Structures are given as structure tokens and as C-alpha cells.
Amino acid sequence: MEKGLNITTEFTSGLQILFNNIKKHKVVLPETENPWTLGMLLFWIKDNILVDKDKCDLFMKGNTVRPGIIVAVNDQDWELLGDLKYCIKNNDNITFISTLHGG
Amino acid sequence: MNNDEEISLLSAEIALLNVELNKKYALLKKKQKQCLTKLDINRYSRQIILPEIGVEGQKKLKTASVLIIGVGGLGCPSSMYLASAGVGTIGLVDYDEVELSNLHRQLLHAQCNVGMRKVESGKLSLNRMNEDVNIVVHDVQLDGHNSLDIFKQYDVIIDASDNLVTRYIINDTCVKAGKPLVSGSAIHCDGQLTVYNYKGSVCFRCLHPKPQSPETVGNCASVGVLGPVPGVIGVLQAMETIKIIVDHPNVLHNSLLLYDGVDCEFKKIKLTNVKRNGCICTKNPEDITITMDYEEFCGSKANDKFKTLNLLKENERITVLDLNELISKKNPFLMIDVRKKVEYDMCHLPFSINIQLSDLKSKDTRSKLIEKINSFSNMTPNLITICRRGNDSQRAVDELKKYTEITDNVKWIKDVIGGLHEWSMQVDENFPIY
């Protein structure tokens, strides 16, 4: 048995283009001393699933997501849950949504 | 009293009576608007019999006014459903003309109306569907100076615009004027729907206090959009607007609805119901100003039109006429079309090869390019880049000049000003524009 956290990360509304056009990624977060937070997850995504590292600024700015990306945990805006500080639980579904402005 | 005096007295009396008569007409019209005529009942019977609407709901629709900003992919379907549902007054805001490339998704505009003002084309079609609806046209580019006077005349505002700048202007004006905002957006195969500033809910700025940088914002002209996608979102905007007008309890509230057309998936994200600290929507309406420079704030323009870049020096560029001359003089050159493959497949110059801008970074691609350059046997060719309108071709020149193995083997590297668009305008009118 893997002792890490099993979670799904999802990239939608065009953001999947940064992730090989794959929307849903089932991933296992390795065991760590401190509990996994969303803040840690962002860097893990950058290092492990972001395809083109040159395009990191289309995903992150500083230690958080760039303006225009909404993060949801199990279909709830992360702002309801403490955003970067939220502690990830097993089987969480974490969705990254790029806000659209076209019409 | 002489005859002259009698005439002027009678005229004055008639004028007074006319004023009185007009007042009565206006009152009659107002009273008639508040009740449903025999034709209304017949026409709207299928929705009146719903408990969600009923006679009261239909009367509310008849007296309601809705403003739609943008008569495009979203504004067309939303206005069609609202006009057909019997909304009394619909305002249309747009500054643009109908273009051929609009027609696949903007179903209000007929082919014969290409070139017409969008608001006029929209009004014509909507009145053809329902002549009882009062269509008001606002043929303006919405900005922080004209928005408030327009918004004040309406009950519900629909954001069917196509750019970030206008979305901030619409939001701030709705907050100041206290109007509910039904916001939709669509691009590619994805759509989003939110209702802001409704019964204490958050506003667009609560969610987006900082504008995202322009390079992360796609638009329909460059990314593309499949017609039914804004269709779905526009129709949903009409639905939420009807629910707001009839005061239905289940209006999409503090939620963001996502539509993924590729996977046919809807997802509803629960948003925070707490207004962001210090956000514009926490202020008194009198203290809210909407005169900031929104374009500067966003770092982009209030439209989704093409922006021309000037990255290269003048002597690093050629015009389409120069290119035509090079061709006729049989000057040896290799032309790289740096657009996406699908665009190259749509149309390209017969002598060009296709290497996407992003692929120029790849060593493999470059060695193939060098092979091509060397195939010019004992002549040293020039290298010319071209794209749709002349921005990516400049980026390509900058990229190619980084590699000595390329610069050493060509005479010069230049791009074509205005790209294939300009080629079509000035040299070959049969070359497709998109």
C-alpha cells in the first residue's frame, strides 16, 4: 500500500493545454512530514505535471496561482476552505479553472 | 370678440386638450402593459401555465427591461429567447459591424446584413420575431463615462461582452447602479456562467480583484469558438434573467457554472458568499467611481480586436509588395509560415513551408530547416517568416536570430509586415482572410 494521498487534479476551461491536453490526472502525493496543503500542491504540480516549464507563469505567480485561475476543492471555491493553507485529504478532487472572457 | 381673437383662443384650448389627450394615451398604454391582452395569453400560454411563471410572472416579464452588452455569440441567443418570452424592453449595446466570420455563431445576424451595425441588425431580427417588444439600440463602445446613464434605464444587465476591460466596466456600473448582472463567457469548446451582485452575492471584482495579464486571455478570433458553445451559455443567461425577473428563488447564486462541450459536462462550483474585504461592492453606491482608466488597469483594450506589435526594426521587415517583387525577380528565399498547422491547412502560399512558432525552439526542427536552407545548392537564400497578421512572424525572426547555425547560412532573415492578411488585401484578393 502506498502511504501517500490519492487525489485527482483537474485542469479545465483551456488550462489543460499546459498539461498535455489531459484534463484529469489521478496522482499520488508522496508521504511527507507535514500534511499536504494546496500551497505545496501548486509547486508539486509545477515540478511534476506541468509540461512546458517555460510556461509556468501561465499557471503560477509567486507562491499562488496566477490571476484569472479559480481553484476548487470538491467543487467548492478554495477561498471557502482557507485557500493555500487548506490541508488536502485523501480522494480530494482539486480543479483548476481558467476564467474565460470571450463571447 | 373678433374672429382673430376667437381663433387664437380656440387654438389654445385645443393645445391644452391635446396635452390632456396625450396624457390619457400614455396612461392607457401603461395600464395595458400591466395586463395581458388576448393575444399575449395565446402567445405565452405555454409558459404562463407553468407555476414558475403564471399570469403574475408574465406581467412582470412584460414590464421588465433587460440590457444586453454585446450582440455577438452570447447576446444573440440570450436576446432571442428574452424577446420571444415577452420581455417588454430589451436594450442592445454594441459598437461593431456584422462580419462574415460572425455568422456561424451569431444567429441574429443574417448573411445579407454583413456590414450593418450589429445593434440595427439585431433589432431587425428581434422585431421580426416579436413586434411587441421594444428594442432600444445603444450604438456605442461602453466605457466608464456612458455606462451608468444606460444601465439606469434597465432592471437586469447581461454581460455578453468579449473582453476583460468591458467586464470590469460592466461589473462596477452594476454595483453602483444596484443591478443584477448575468455574466456569461465562451471560447473554444468551453463556457462559463455566473450571476453577480444579486441579493447580496459577490461581484466580479470579489472573484477577480487583480486583472489577469493579457497574454493569458484568449479571444474567439485567435483561439476559435464552436457556435453552439456560446449558444448554450447565451440561452442559460436568458433563463437566469427570466428567473430574476419573476423573482424565482433558485437563481444561480454564488456559483460558477462550467460547461465543457468536448466532454458534454456541466460542473457547478460553489463560490464564497463573502464579499472581498475592501471590494468596490462593499462601498456606498455614492462613493463608487467608475471613471478609472480601465484599459490601463487591465493592460489591454476594450475589444477583442487584433493588436499590432512592433518587435523588429524597420530593416528587419519587408512589405507584401517587396515580397511580390522578390518572387517575380526569382530571388532565392525560403519562406516559413509559422502559424498553427490547422491554419496552414486552411490556406497558405504555395512556396511556403510550415513550422509552428513554438517548434522553432526544437533542435530537431532546426536541423531539418538547415537541410532545407542547404538544398539551395550554391546560392545563399534569404529567410522570410510569415503568419496571419504579422506578430508571430516577428517573434519567429527574433527566435531564428538566436542560432548562428541558421544566421550563418542565410543572407538575411526578415518577416512580412501584416502577414497573409495584408497579402490578401494588396496582392492577391483571392487569398482567404480569416
Side-chain angles (χ1 to χ4, degrees):
Chain A
M1 266 299 271
E2 183 104 42
K3 265 196 170 175
L5 284 171
N6 288 288
I7 62 161
T8 306
T9 56
E10 215 174 316
F11 304 94
T12 70
S13 296
L15 214 52
Q16 66 269 21
I17 199 165
L18 300 175
F19 301 89
N20 235 348
N21 269 317
I22 297 166
K23 288 175 196 162
K24 279 188 195 178
H25 302 246
K26 286 194 181 298
V27 299
V28 182
L29 301 179
E31 205 179 349
T32 51
E33 274 176 35
N34 301 315
W36 274 94
T37 61
L38 281 177
M40 290 154 67
L41 177 69
L42 295 182
F43 285 96
W44 187 88
I45 288 173
K46 187 187 100 174
D47 294 337
N48 292 280
I49 36 181
L50 184 73
V51 175
D52 190 349
K53 308 291 181 221
D54 285 352
K55 290 188 176 160
C56 180
D57 53 347
L58 296 180
F59 180 60
M60 286 184 76
K61 189 172 179 187
N63 66 345
T64 188
V65 287
R66 67 153 167 84
I69 292 180
I70 292 172
V71 185
V73 180
N74 304 324
D75 295 346
Q76 287 201 54
D77 187 347
W78 71 341
E79 298 211 4
L80 290 162
L81 306 164
D83 48 63
L84 290 170
K85 294 189 209 80
Y86 170 80
C87 290
I88 300 170
K89 296 174 185 59
N90 208 27
N91 295 324
D92 270 352
N93 180 305
I94 297 159
T95 310
F96 296 86
I97 305 146
S98 163
T99 313
L100 309 175
H101 303 296
Chain B
M1 212 186 307
N2 65 29
N3 204 29
D4 279 355
E5 281 173 344
E6 251 183 277
I7 286 173
S8 65
L9 201 67
L10 274 171
S11 303
E13 270 180 47
I14 288 169
L16 269 177
L17 284 170
N18 265 331
V19 170
E20 193 68 15
L21 189 63
N22 284 337
K23 270 190 201 161
K24 301 247 178 202
Y25 269 127
L27 190 63
L28 176 69
K29 218 175 164 185
K30 197 177 157 195
K31 292 282 170 195
Q32 275 176 339
K33 240 188 155 181
Q34 285 163 1
C35 67
L36 302 178
T37 64
K38 187 187 153 201
L39 283 178
D40 285 341
I41 289 167
N42 187 346
R43 178 168 194 147
Y44 305 114
S45 55
R46 299 299 188 273
Q47 64 190 45
I48 293 175
I49 55 174
L50 296 174
E52 284 81 2
I53 304 291
V55 171
E56 282 315 303
Q58 191 62 48
K59 284 185 190 167
K60 283 179 184 162
L61 289 170
K62 195 172 176 179
T63 49
S65 54
V66 176
L67 181 69
I68 300 174
I69 296 128
V71 192
L74 300 164
C76 287
S78 55
S79 62
M80 284 159 98
Y81 274 90
L82 292 173
S84 303
V87 168
T89 302
I90 295 175
L92 303 175
V93 179
D94 209 305
Y95 63 91
D96 213 354
E97 286 173 357
V98 179
E99 287 174 35
L100 196 60
S101 62
N102 298 151
L103 303 184
H104 80 117
R105 67 186 189 285
Q106 304 182 11
L107 307 194
L108 264 187
H109 307 305
Q111 189 173 334
C112 59
N113 290 350
V114 168
M116 193 188 263
R117 309 297 298 167
K118 276 191 175 174
V119 286
E120 294 301 340
S121 160
K123 182 182 168 133
L124 270 178
S125 301
L126 292 172
N127 273 145
R128 215 174 283 145
M129 287 174 196
N130 190 346
E131 61 179 15
D132 299 334
V133 177
N134 176 29
I135 307 290
V136 182
V137 301
H138 303 277
D139 192 349
V140 291
Q141 162 94 61
L142 198 75
D143 61 38
H145 301 281
N146 60 23
S147 59
L148 191 60
D149 283 340
I150 300 174
F151 282 35
K152 276 181 184 164
Q153 308 165 40
Y154 297 89
D155 304 324
V156 184
I157 312 297
I158 292 184
D159 185 342
S161 70
D162 60 9
N163 67 84
L164 190 58
V165 173
T166 304
R167 287 181 188 274
Y168 276 106
I169 296 170
I170 293 173
N171 178 72
D172 294 358
T173 315
C174 278
V175 170
K176 185 167 176 70
K179 308 285 181 183
L181 170 57
V182 182
S183 176
S185 57
I187 196 165
H188 207 270
C189 291
D190 292 294
Q192 295 176 349
L193 176 75
T194 333
V195 177
Y196 295 113
N197 203 42
Y198 180 64
K199 297 197 170 171
S201 76
V202 295
C203 79
F204 179 77
R205 255 185 212 272
C206 291
L207 247 59
H208 305 287
K210 279 185 222 145
Q212 60 189 89
S213 59
E215 59 273 17
T216 65
V217 182
N219 66 53
C220 292
S222 60
V223 179
V225 60
L226 200 53
V229 178
V232 167
I233 300 299
V235 172
L236 290 173
Q237 284 181 287
M239 182 68 183
E240 293 313 302
T241 302
I242 290 172
K243 282 158 67 184
I244 289 172
I245 293 168
V246 303
D247 203 17
H248 193 277
N250 296 358
V251 173
L252 183 76
H253 203 60
N254 284 326
S255 298
L256 164 66
L257 184 79
L258 308 175
Y259 169 59
D260 178 335
V262 169
D263 294 342
C264 193
E265 225 172 58
F266 281 95
K267 197 195 240 310
K268 199 153 111 180
I269 304 292
K270 191 173 183 292
L271 298 175
T272 171
N273 53 2
V274 184
K275 291 169 183 284
R276 188 177 294 273
N277 234 340
C279 183
I280 188 168
C281 63
T282 62
K283 293 184 189 166
N284 279 327
E286 311 87 74
D287 300 335
I288 296 172
T289 51
I290 43 174
T291 47
M292 68 182 290
D293 189 334
Y294 284 91
E295 294 194 336
E296 192 189 297
F297 173 65
C298 294
S300 54
K301 292 280 172 199
N303 59 49
D304 74 341
K305 304 284 184 217
F306 181 75
K307 294 145 200 89
T308 310
L309 296 177
N310 282 308
L311 303 174
L312 299 180
K313 291 188 211 87
E314 215 174 300
N315 62 9
E316 293 174 297
R317 313 196 72 188
I318 60 170
T319 66
V320 288
L321 298 176
D322 297 335
L323 173 61
N324 206 24
E325 206 179 307
L326 287 177
I327 296 166
S328 60
K329 285 189 177 160
K330 297 201 165 57
N331 246 311
F333 67 83
L334 181 66
M335 173 172 277
I336 311 174
D337 187 327
V338 298
R339 295 173 300 152
K340 292 199 189 93
K341 183 180 178 297
V342 62
E343 292 176 78
Y344 183 80
D345 288 345
M346 257 191 324
C347 53
H348 59 259
L349 295 175
F351 43 83
S352 65
I353 60 165
N354 183 214
I355 303 175
Q356 284 181 199
L357 175 62
S358 55
D359 290 344
L360 289 174
K361 281 192 194 307
S362 131
K363 203 165 182 211
D364 246 18
T365 311
R366 287 201 307 276
S367 30
K368 278 180 197 147
L369 175 62
I370 290 164
E371 259 173 55
K372 288 256 182 207
I373 293 170
N374 291 337
S375 71
F376 278 79
S377 58
N378 43 20
M379 286 184 291
T380 313
N382 298 310
L383 200 51
I384 301 174
T385 63
I386 196 163
C387 65
R388 185 180 177 189
R389 283 163 161 163
N391 279 357
D392 275 352
S393 56
Q394 297 184 64
R395 295 189 175 102
V397 170
D398 269 345
E399 184 65 28
L400 289 164
K401 285 195 172 172
K402 287 182 191 164
Y403 308 103
T404 48
E405 73 262 35
I406 291 173
T407 49
D408 287 351
N409 286 305
V410 295
K411 270 207 272 193
W412 46 251
I413 309 174
K414 294 183 185 186
D415 89 314
V416 180
I417 300 166
L420 294 164
H421 194 267
E422 209 53 37
W423 178 262
S424 175
M425 304 295 278
Q426 293 200 42
V427 180
D428 178 7
E429 60 174 19
N430 289 320
F431 195 86
I433 291 181
Y434 64 96

